[in-house]
Structure formats: C-alpha cells, structure tokens
Amino acid sequence: MAAISSDELQDAWEKVKAMTILPEPPEPKLPTFGPKVPMKSKLHSIQSLITSLEYNYTGTLYFDVNKNRSFKSIVNTAKEILKEGLPIQCLEAVFLGAYLTAGLTNLERFPISFKTTAGRSTHRHIVLGIHHQQQKWGALGLSRCEKLMNKDLKFESLSDLVLDYCHEFENVYHTVLKVNVGFPFTHDIHSSERVEWRVLNLPVNTNNWTEVAKQLDGFGKDAAEIESFKKAKGVFPAWFGTRYALNAPEVELGRSPRAAQRRNSFSDDFNTFEEELQTQEPAPAQTPRTIPKHIIVTPDEFTFKKPSAKTTPAPPTNIFLQNTSPSPYLIEIEDRSGLLEIVTKTQPTLQTEERDKTNPEAHPAKATFRISASGMIAVAIKYNPHRSVTTKLTSPEKSPVKKGVNGKPSPVEPAAVNEPPHVVSFRCMPEKLLDAVPDGESFTLETPFVFKDI
C-alpha cells in the first residue's frame, strides 16, 4: 500500500467533516451453526469474528473493561462491542468469546491471564481457555502478536496450552512471572453472579514447571467442584490450600497512580505498562486487621459452687456459647487454674481415648466443642476438689530452713506463691481452617470465675 502525503490526508479529513450524513459502520454478523458443524469449525468462525474487529492500537478504550461484575453485565458489553464494531483489545476479546460460546454447552471456558516482564516494563495478557468435552484444550483471544491470540483444539492438557503461550512469550523476549486461572464462565447469559477471574495464581518463574503443570491440570479437573463448594459454603474447601500449595494471590501495594488505573485492564502493548520507578508512591502504612469475634460467652463471670465437705459432689454450672457467624466454629475450652472439671463430654478423639486408658481417674481441664453456624451450645463445668488436691501435692510439704545467727535453724518466711489465675479461656477457630489455623484467624476469649461456698 502506497504511503499518502500529509496534504492528501488533510484533504480526506476535510471531506469527512463536510459530510452531513456518515454511513453506519457495518455490524459484524454473528455466526450460525448447523447441528453437524464440527466444534473446530465453530470456534474458527467465532475467532474470525473477533479478529475482524482488529486490535485497538489507539490507547483509548471504547468499552467498559471493568472485570469485577456479573456475567450478565459482561454479556451486555459484548453485545455493545458487536453493535459498534470498533477495535478492541485482549480483555474485550475474552468478553466477546465468552458470550459467543455461551450456547455451546459442551465447552468449558476459563479465563487465563499472564503477567510478564520485558526489561523494566510489566505487561498483562488474557485469553479464553477452551476445554472441549473433557478432552482437548484450545483458546480464543486477540493480541498484537499473532502467536499470542487463539490456539486450536489440539492440546492434551491445560498445562500444555499454558506452556505453549509461555514459549511464545519467550520468543518476543518476555519473561512470564505468573499465570492466573479463574472459574469457568457460566453458560447462563442472564446470570447475576460475579465472574471469578483469578482463583489459581501460580508464580511461574520461581517454581519448578513440573509442579506448576501438576497444579494447573489439577485445577482444570477440580474447578467445577471448587466453584460449587464456594457457592454453597461461601469459602474454599479446606483442602484447597493443601492441594494447591503454590497458589499465591497477588497483592499490589505501592503502585504508581498510572498502575492503579490499570489494575483491571489488560494490554500486550510493549510500552503501555512501563513502570515509572522514580514516581512510585510509598506503600501505605498497614493498619492491623481487626478479627471479628463471632463467639459470645455468657455469663460475663462464672460462679462455681464449692461444697464445704470434700465428700459432697459439687453441682455443675452451665455456660453458654453462641456463634453469630454463618460458619461453624471449633471452641477449645481450657481451665488454667487447675480447679475445675469440664463435665460435658465431647466426641471421643484419639487423644482423649488414649488419656482415658492411661489415667481413667483424670478429669478433663481442656475440651473442644463444635458450634454450628448461628448456633448455640451449653457446656457444664464444676469445681473439682480432686484436682485442687493434686495441685497442692506438687508444692513443697516442708518450709525451707536456714541457720540463724546463733547457729540454730530459723524458719524462712514463705515466699509468695503465684496463684494460678481464676480464668477459663476459649480459643475460637473457624472450622474451615481446621487443618492449619493462622494466628490471624483464630482468637481467644477469657472469662473470670469465683467460688461460692455451699
């Protein structure tokens, strides 16, 4: 194509401005498929439509590229893209691909995004991973680089597909830092549920690829189960952190103002994401996170009845634990004074069974109870004279002596003995974190108690 001069360009521009009616840009025609059209042909037609819109090099975004919204809202943006027929970038291409494949119920469609570096520049790219009938993998997408766009349905696994993209990034002198995979897109274009774009976040450059590939392929199989569990319970399964140990959600702190505006955008333009290190703002001071205490213990002070005769059994006192959260909790109750016995029995565990075998006379000073979501339990605790006697036997039976000035022994004033605090502690742990409860998620409550002689 011959180059045009600036005068010719100016003349053409003046003619356009002089026109009173401009023709509407042609709307892309949606592909239609018969029942016997192969899946590869369907995906090829959809990719051809996406490619026909061309890549947007202008630096101006024509459509809403906010990712944190419902699939229904994303579908509306995709329809707007088709109506306007303007150039798009990789994220809008994923919007469009997810919408155009919504009717193909034998496909799973995953958002797959990449974070890369080239020199001092940081880049992000995203494609729509396609999984056909639990067999081959491929992708739809758009990029300035042809090799980073779509991929045919020919890959045996998700890791093979991702590795192919990583190799293509290397060919354009990019280093892949991280790969993110989200939950599969729903096929319901009217769904109001928010799309989960980054569920599995795997650092690539700092981990062995064999381990990364294993977790990618595992997530490709487990994603539907994990998503169903999260929708039902509001949290990830307890085994998620163990099975996907490499998962490292990205926390972006201290980014420049330009980077903050780009947090939800994608582009593979080599110069768009250049970080201005000289203008970076310092990271904001981290304020301590307040752990909500969803467990209520009543009463505020316990009163335990203490019989005057040791042969008289002490009546128990009921304490009440209420869970105000939508998740179950495990409560570990412990008497730190050595004077109480937890009467209410818990479900036997290996530890309690072993203790009962070795010391059948022992009385529990620590026990763990489960409270269901928004539930309440009562636990009976009483004064135990046998435990107090045992505690006293550990003290010296005779007062220490020392020699006086005349050589005769003289009693030493007994030192003040640190009496154990009259406190019952309650360590509260969300049941979903039973395997490994971080200190920042559990909390401990303490309630004082007194004795009343009877």
Side-chain angles (χ1 to χ4, degrees), residues 300-304 319 334-340 381-383 420-425 446-452:
D300 295 333
E301 183 181 70
F302 306 145
T303 300
F304 297 106
I319 63 175
E334 181 180 5
D335 163 40
R336 298 183 179 180
S337 68
L339 303 173
L340 304 177
I381 303 178
K382 70 176 184 178
Y383 168 70
H422 286 193
V423 167
V424 178
S425 67
E446 292 186 340
T447 302
F449 67 85
V450 295
F451 290 115
K452 180 180 179 181

mmCIF file of all heavy atoms in Angstrom, residues 300-304 319 334-340 381-383 420-425 446-452:
data_model
loop_
_atom_site.group_PDB
_atom_site.id
_atom_site.type_symbol
_atom_site.label_atom_id
_atom_site.label_comp_id
_atom_site.label_asym_id
_atom_site.label_seq_id
_atom_site.Cartn_x
_atom_site.Cartn_y
_atom_site.Cartn_z
ATOM 1 N N ASP A 300 -20.925 -13.121 81.978
ATOM 2 C CA ASP A 300 -19.652 -12.408 81.927
ATOM 3 C C ASP A 300 -18.684 -12.882 83.001
ATOM 4 O O ASP A 300 -17.473 -12.719 82.871
ATOM 5 C CB ASP A 300 -19.883 -10.899 82.082
ATOM 6 C CG ASP A 300 -20.677 -10.330 80.917
ATOM 7 O OD1 ASP A 300 -20.602 -10.916 79.818
ATOM 8 O OD2 ASP A 300 -21.375 -9.322 81.106
ATOM 9 N N GLU A 301 -19.200 -13.437 84.088
ATOM 10 C CA GLU A 301 -18.372 -14.010 85.151
ATOM 11 C C GLU A 301 -19.043 -15.280 85.637
ATOM 12 O O GLU A 301 -20.255 -15.309 85.853
ATOM 13 C CB GLU A 301 -18.205 -13.024 86.315
ATOM 14 C CG GLU A 301 -17.289 -13.550 87.415
ATOM 15 C CD GLU A 301 -17.166 -12.568 88.573
ATOM 16 O OE1 GLU A 301 -18.170 -12.392 89.303
ATOM 17 O OE2 GLU A 301 -16.082 -11.991 88.746
ATOM 18 N N PHE A 302 -18.238 -16.341 85.768
ATOM 19 C CA PHE A 302 -18.788 -17.622 86.198
ATOM 20 C C PHE A 302 -18.723 -17.731 87.723
ATOM 21 O O PHE A 302 -17.756 -17.278 88.350
ATOM 22 C CB PHE A 302 -18.010 -18.791 85.579
ATOM 23 C CG PHE A 302 -17.919 -18.730 84.077
ATOM 24 C CD1 PHE A 302 -16.773 -19.166 83.418
ATOM 25 C CD2 PHE A 302 -18.970 -18.245 83.324
ATOM 26 C CE1 PHE A 302 -16.683 -19.118 82.042
ATOM 27 C CE2 PHE A 302 -18.894 -18.191 81.942
ATOM 28 C CZ PHE A 302 -17.745 -18.627 81.298
ATOM 29 N N THR A 303 -19.745 -18.360 88.288
ATOM 30 C CA THR A 303 -19.766 -18.653 89.724
ATOM 31 C C THR A 303 -19.922 -20.155 89.893
ATOM 32 O O THR A 303 -20.917 -20.739 89.436
ATOM 33 C CB THR A 303 -20.925 -17.924 90.423
ATOM 34 O OG1 THR A 303 -20.768 -16.513 90.245
ATOM 35 C CG2 THR A 303 -20.939 -18.248 91.912
ATOM 36 N N PHE A 304 -18.915 -20.781 90.506
ATOM 37 C CA PHE A 304 -18.950 -22.221 90.723
ATOM 38 C C PHE A 304 -19.176 -22.497 92.216
ATOM 39 O O PHE A 304 -18.525 -21.883 93.074
ATOM 40 C CB PHE A 304 -17.636 -22.867 90.267
ATOM 41 C CG PHE A 304 -17.381 -22.703 88.795
ATOM 42 C CD1 PHE A 304 -16.424 -21.806 88.336
ATOM 43 C CD2 PHE A 304 -18.105 -23.435 87.874
ATOM 44 C CE1 PHE A 304 -16.191 -21.647 86.991
ATOM 45 C CE2 PHE A 304 -17.875 -23.276 86.511
ATOM 46 C CZ PHE A 304 -16.921 -22.382 86.071
ATOM 47 N N ILE A 319 -22.460 -22.854 81.199
ATOM 48 C CA ILE A 319 -22.044 -21.658 80.467
ATOM 49 C C ILE A 319 -22.549 -21.801 79.037
ATOM 50 O O ILE A 319 -22.703 -22.922 78.529
ATOM 51 C CB ILE A 319 -20.514 -21.470 80.501
ATOM 52 C CG1 ILE A 319 -19.815 -22.632 79.800
ATOM 53 C CG2 ILE A 319 -20.013 -21.339 81.917
ATOM 54 C CD1 ILE A 319 -18.320 -22.456 79.680
ATOM 55 N N GLU A 334 -10.423 -24.271 78.066
ATOM 56 C CA GLU A 334 -9.335 -24.704 78.950
ATOM 57 C C GLU A 334 -9.442 -23.992 80.295
ATOM 58 O O GLU A 334 -9.641 -22.776 80.358
ATOM 59 C CB GLU A 334 -7.978 -24.410 78.320
ATOM 60 C CG GLU A 334 -6.804 -24.862 79.182
ATOM 61 C CD GLU A 334 -5.463 -24.575 78.549
ATOM 62 O OE1 GLU A 334 -5.442 -23.928 77.480
ATOM 63 O OE2 GLU A 334 -4.435 -24.993 79.122
ATOM 64 N N ASP A 335 -9.325 -24.793 81.369
ATOM 65 C CA ASP A 335 -9.251 -24.246 82.730
ATOM 66 C C ASP A 335 -7.785 -24.084 83.097
ATOM 67 O O ASP A 335 -7.040 -25.062 83.161
ATOM 68 C CB ASP A 335 -9.947 -25.184 83.712
ATOM 69 C CG ASP A 335 -9.543 -24.888 85.154
ATOM 70 O OD1 ASP A 335 -9.424 -23.692 85.484
ATOM 71 O OD2 ASP A 335 -9.335 -25.849 85.914
ATOM 72 N N ARG A 336 -7.357 -22.854 83.333
ATOM 73 C CA ARG A 336 -5.955 -22.586 83.632
ATOM 74 C C ARG A 336 -5.648 -22.620 85.128
ATOM 75 O O ARG A 336 -4.489 -22.511 85.521
ATOM 76 C CB ARG A 336 -5.562 -21.224 83.063
ATOM 77 C CG ARG A 336 -5.693 -21.148 81.547
ATOM 78 C CD ARG A 336 -5.240 -19.817 81.014
ATOM 79 N NE ARG A 336 -5.340 -19.743 79.561
ATOM 80 C CZ ARG A 336 -5.000 -18.682 78.844
ATOM 81 N NH1 ARG A 336 -4.543 -17.595 79.459
ATOM 82 N NH2 ARG A 336 -5.124 -18.694 77.536
ATOM 83 N N SER A 337 -6.685 -22.759 85.942
ATOM 84 C CA SER A 337 -6.456 -22.722 87.390
ATOM 85 C C SER A 337 -6.152 -24.095 87.969
ATOM 86 O O SER A 337 -5.568 -24.202 89.050
ATOM 87 C CB SER A 337 -7.687 -22.143 88.089
ATOM 88 O OG SER A 337 -8.784 -23.046 87.980
ATOM 89 N N GLY A 338 -6.555 -25.148 87.292
ATOM 90 C CA GLY A 338 -6.385 -26.484 87.841
ATOM 91 C C GLY A 338 -7.415 -26.826 88.891
ATOM 92 O O GLY A 338 -7.223 -27.765 89.678
ATOM 93 N N LEU A 339 -8.522 -26.092 88.944
ATOM 94 C CA LEU A 339 -9.532 -26.290 89.983
ATOM 95 C C LEU A 339 -10.871 -26.763 89.432
ATOM 96 O O LEU A 339 -11.781 -27.046 90.213
ATOM 97 C CB LEU A 339 -9.752 -24.980 90.759
ATOM 98 C CG LEU A 339 -8.514 -24.359 91.419
ATOM 99 C CD1 LEU A 339 -8.860 -22.996 91.987
ATOM 100 C CD2 LEU A 339 -7.970 -25.276 92.500
ATOM 101 N N LEU A 340 -10.993 -26.840 88.124
ATOM 102 C CA LEU A 340 -12.292 -27.114 87.525
ATOM 103 C C LEU A 340 -12.260 -28.389 86.691
ATOM 104 O O LEU A 340 -11.199 -28.871 86.286
ATOM 105 C CB LEU A 340 -12.729 -25.939 86.636
ATOM 106 C CG LEU A 340 -12.792 -24.562 87.299
ATOM 107 C CD1 LEU A 340 -13.170 -23.511 86.265
ATOM 108 C CD2 LEU A 340 -13.773 -24.558 88.462
ATOM 109 N N ILE A 381 -19.574 -27.038 83.631
ATOM 110 C CA ILE A 381 -18.271 -27.058 84.298
ATOM 111 C C ILE A 381 -18.515 -27.000 85.803
ATOM 112 O O ILE A 381 -19.437 -26.316 86.263
ATOM 113 C CB ILE A 381 -17.398 -25.867 83.850
ATOM 114 C CG1 ILE A 381 -17.209 -25.873 82.325
ATOM 115 C CG2 ILE A 381 -16.036 -25.898 84.531
ATOM 116 C CD1 ILE A 381 -16.411 -24.701 81.797
ATOM 117 N N LYS A 382 -17.695 -27.703 86.568
ATOM 118 C CA LYS A 382 -17.891 -27.695 88.023
ATOM 119 C C LYS A 382 -16.548 -27.655 88.745
ATOM 120 O O LYS A 382 -15.489 -27.924 88.160
ATOM 121 C CB LYS A 382 -18.683 -28.916 88.463
ATOM 122 C CG LYS A 382 -17.921 -30.234 88.346
ATOM 123 C CD LYS A 382 -18.743 -31.386 88.907
ATOM 124 C CE LYS A 382 -17.951 -32.701 88.874
ATOM 125 N NZ LYS A 382 -18.719 -33.821 89.455
ATOM 126 N N TYR A 383 -16.622 -27.301 90.023
ATOM 127 C CA TYR A 383 -15.447 -27.347 90.900
ATOM 128 C C TYR A 383 -15.090 -28.798 91.163
ATOM 129 O O TYR A 383 -15.953 -29.641 91.417
ATOM 130 C CB TYR A 383 -15.752 -26.623 92.207
ATOM 131 C CG TYR A 383 -14.728 -26.850 93.299
ATOM 132 C CD1 TYR A 383 -13.454 -26.301 93.201
ATOM 133 C CD2 TYR A 383 -15.041 -27.626 94.417
ATOM 134 C CE1 TYR A 383 -12.514 -26.512 94.196
ATOM 135 C CE2 TYR A 383 -14.112 -27.838 95.421
ATOM 136 C CZ TYR A 383 -12.844 -27.280 95.302
ATOM 137 O OH TYR A 383 -11.916 -27.494 96.283
ATOM 138 N N PRO A 420 -2.463 -19.549 90.459
ATOM 139 C CA PRO A 420 -2.919 -19.555 89.067
ATOM 140 C C PRO A 420 -4.166 -18.697 88.912
ATOM 141 O O PRO A 420 -5.004 -18.630 89.816
ATOM 142 C CB PRO A 420 -3.209 -21.035 88.790
ATOM 143 C CG PRO A 420 -3.397 -21.658 90.134
ATOM 144 C CD PRO A 420 -2.514 -20.888 91.059
ATOM 145 N N PRO A 421 -4.307 -18.025 87.796
ATOM 146 C CA PRO A 421 -5.460 -17.138 87.610
ATOM 147 C C PRO A 421 -6.763 -17.919 87.544
ATOM 148 O O PRO A 421 -6.813 -19.020 86.989
ATOM 149 C CB PRO A 421 -5.154 -16.450 86.279
ATOM 150 C CG PRO A 421 -4.262 -17.406 85.553
ATOM 151 C CD PRO A 421 -3.437 -18.071 86.614
ATOM 152 N N HIS A 422 -7.781 -17.355 88.121
ATOM 153 C CA HIS A 422 -9.107 -17.959 88.051
ATOM 154 C C HIS A 422 -9.773 -17.497 86.758
ATOM 155 O O HIS A 422 -10.598 -16.582 86.736
ATOM 156 C CB HIS A 422 -9.929 -17.559 89.280
ATOM 157 C CG HIS A 422 -9.499 -18.259 90.532
ATOM 158 N ND1 HIS A 422 -10.239 -18.259 91.687
ATOM 159 C CD2 HIS A 422 -8.396 -19.007 90.807
ATOM 160 C CE1 HIS A 422 -9.617 -18.963 92.623
ATOM 161 N NE2 HIS A 422 -8.489 -19.422 92.109
ATOM 162 N N VAL A 423 -9.394 -18.162 85.670
ATOM 163 C CA VAL A 423 -9.849 -17.764 84.338
ATOM 164 C C VAL A 423 -10.119 -19.019 83.518
ATOM 165 O O VAL A 423 -9.362 -19.993 83.581
ATOM 166 C CB VAL A 423 -8.786 -16.887 83.624
ATOM 167 C CG1 VAL A 423 -9.126 -16.737 82.142
ATOM 168 C CG2 VAL A 423 -8.694 -15.525 84.270
ATOM 169 N N VAL A 424 -11.195 -18.993 82.762
ATOM 170 C CA VAL A 424 -11.475 -20.028 81.765
ATOM 171 C C VAL A 424 -11.263 -19.398 80.392
ATOM 172 O O VAL A 424 -11.806 -18.323 80.102
ATOM 173 C CB VAL A 424 -12.914 -20.561 81.891
ATOM 174 C CG1 VAL A 424 -13.187 -21.609 80.810
ATOM 175 C CG2 VAL A 424 -13.142 -21.165 83.268
ATOM 176 N N SER A 425 -10.444 -20.040 79.560
ATOM 177 C CA SER A 425 -10.148 -19.485 78.234
ATOM 178 C C SER A 425 -10.909 -20.258 77.160
ATOM 179 O O SER A 425 -11.166 -21.459 77.289
ATOM 180 C CB SER A 425 -8.642 -19.538 77.947
ATOM 181 O OG SER A 425 -8.202 -20.875 77.820
ATOM 182 N N GLU A 446 -11.439 -14.830 77.301
ATOM 183 C CA GLU A 446 -11.200 -15.259 78.674
ATOM 184 C C GLU A 446 -12.311 -14.727 79.571
ATOM 185 O O GLU A 446 -12.714 -13.565 79.445
ATOM 186 C CB GLU A 446 -9.842 -14.762 79.178
ATOM 187 C CG GLU A 446 -8.658 -15.420 78.476
ATOM 188 C CD GLU A 446 -7.331 -15.009 79.093
ATOM 189 O OE1 GLU A 446 -7.306 -13.960 79.780
ATOM 190 O OE2 GLU A 446 -6.335 -15.719 78.904
ATOM 191 N N THR A 447 -12.795 -15.599 80.457
ATOM 192 C CA THR A 447 -13.852 -15.217 81.390
ATOM 193 C C THR A 447 -13.407 -15.575 82.807
ATOM 194 O O THR A 447 -13.036 -16.731 83.063
ATOM 195 C CB THR A 447 -15.166 -15.940 81.051
ATOM 196 O OG1 THR A 447 -15.545 -15.619 79.712
ATOM 197 C CG2 THR A 447 -16.275 -15.531 82.007
ATOM 198 N N PRO A 448 -13.433 -14.625 83.745
ATOM 199 C CA PRO A 448 -13.035 -14.921 85.129
ATOM 200 C C PRO A 448 -14.125 -15.706 85.856
ATOM 201 O O PRO A 448 -15.288 -15.728 85.441
ATOM 202 C CB PRO A 448 -12.850 -13.527 85.733
ATOM 203 C CG PRO A 448 -13.777 -12.659 84.946
ATOM 204 C CD PRO A 448 -13.791 -13.211 83.553
ATOM 205 N N PHE A 449 -13.723 -16.353 86.952
ATOM 206 C CA PHE A 449 -14.716 -17.070 87.754
ATOM 207 C C PHE A 449 -14.400 -16.914 89.236
ATOM 208 O O PHE A 449 -13.266 -16.598 89.627
ATOM 209 C CB PHE A 449 -14.786 -18.553 87.363
ATOM 210 C CG PHE A 449 -13.554 -19.349 87.684
ATOM 211 C CD1 PHE A 449 -13.356 -19.905 88.944
ATOM 212 C CD2 PHE A 449 -12.582 -19.564 86.718
ATOM 213 C CE1 PHE A 449 -12.229 -20.650 89.232
ATOM 214 C CE2 PHE A 449 -11.448 -20.306 86.994
ATOM 215 C CZ PHE A 449 -11.265 -20.852 88.259
ATOM 216 N N VAL A 450 -15.424 -17.139 90.056
ATOM 217 C CA VAL A 450 -15.294 -17.097 91.516
ATOM 218 C C VAL A 450 -15.983 -18.330 92.079
ATOM 219 O O VAL A 450 -16.755 -19.007 91.387
ATOM 220 C CB VAL A 450 -15.931 -15.819 92.100
ATOM 221 C CG1 VAL A 450 -15.186 -14.581 91.634
ATOM 222 C CG2 VAL A 450 -17.409 -15.727 91.737
ATOM 223 N N PHE A 451 -15.681 -18.619 93.351
ATOM 224 C CA PHE A 451 -16.310 -19.746 94.038
ATOM 225 C C PHE A 451 -17.321 -19.227 95.059
ATOM 226 O O PHE A 451 -17.144 -18.157 95.651
ATOM 227 C CB PHE A 451 -15.266 -20.605 94.749
ATOM 228 C CG PHE A 451 -14.387 -21.379 93.802
ATOM 229 C CD1 PHE A 451 -13.032 -21.113 93.721
ATOM 230 C CD2 PHE A 451 -14.917 -22.370 92.994
ATOM 231 C CE1 PHE A 451 -12.224 -21.823 92.858
ATOM 232 C CE2 PHE A 451 -14.112 -23.081 92.129
ATOM 233 C CZ PHE A 451 -12.760 -22.807 92.058
ATOM 234 N N LYS A 452 -18.364 -20.012 95.248
ATOM 235 C CA LYS A 452 -19.374 -19.718 96.264
ATOM 236 C C LYS A 452 -19.513 -20.944 97.156
ATOM 237 O O LYS A 452 -19.871 -22.035 96.694
ATOM 238 C CB LYS A 452 -20.711 -19.381 95.606
ATOM 239 C CG LYS A 452 -21.818 -19.073 96.602
ATOM 240 C CD LYS A 452 -23.123 -18.753 95.881
ATOM 241 C CE LYS A 452 -24.235 -18.468 96.880
ATOM 242 N NZ LYS A 452 -25.526 -18.183 96.192
#
